[in-house]
Amino acid sequence: MDIQSLFAAQSYTSSKPALQPVPETTQGAKEAFVNVAEDFAQTVQAGEETAKAAMVGQADPHALVQALAQSELAVETAVTVRNKVVEAYQEILRMPV
């Protein structure tokens, strides 16, 4: 019995550092979120520029449809992510303290 409890204590102490947060991980998540937000803004801006060019006859109708489809997909993705975040927040609020 003593050997098993000693082994359990050693495995707990060896796994404890793995459970602590690593500052580099949070920095990577922040950078990833910034990159996604910038990509979203660029996609919407490119769609707007193509739409403006199509209004004055400088863009191909196929390019306009493609840009609008990309913009629509980006907006739908952003709305879905927002809905999931709101849903998670509401679920946290429902948790008993």
Side-chain angles (χ1 to χ4, degrees):
M1 291 291 190
D2 258 357
I3 295 172
Q4 289 180 350
S5 62
L6 179 63
F7 179 70
Q10 285 176 347
S11 10
Y12 175 73
T13 56
S14 67
S15 68
K16 190 174 180 180
L19 300 176
Q20 295 175 347
V22 179
E24 298 154 3
T25 308
T26 56
Q27 185 68 5
K30 178 182 175 184
E31 290 173 359
F33 181 74
V34 168
N35 290 339
V36 167
E38 287 175 353
D39 187 39
F40 171 75
Q42 288 175 356
T43 302
V44 172
Q45 185 177 14
E48 289 176 354
E49 290 174 4
T50 305
K52 287 178 187 177
M55 285 182 203
V56 294
Q58 296 177 351
D60 182 31
H62 179 70
L64 175 64
V65 170
Q66 185 178 5
L68 290 176
Q70 288 176 346
S71 296
E72 182 181 7
L73 182 63
V75 170
E76 286 178 0
T77 303
V79 168
T80 302
V81 169
R82 182 208 56 163
N83 290 344
K84 290 292 183 180
V85 168
V86 168
E87 182 180 320
Y89 178 73
Q90 289 174 345
E91 191 67 28
I92 289 171
L93 288 177
R94 285 189 217 121
M95 293 175 120
V97 179

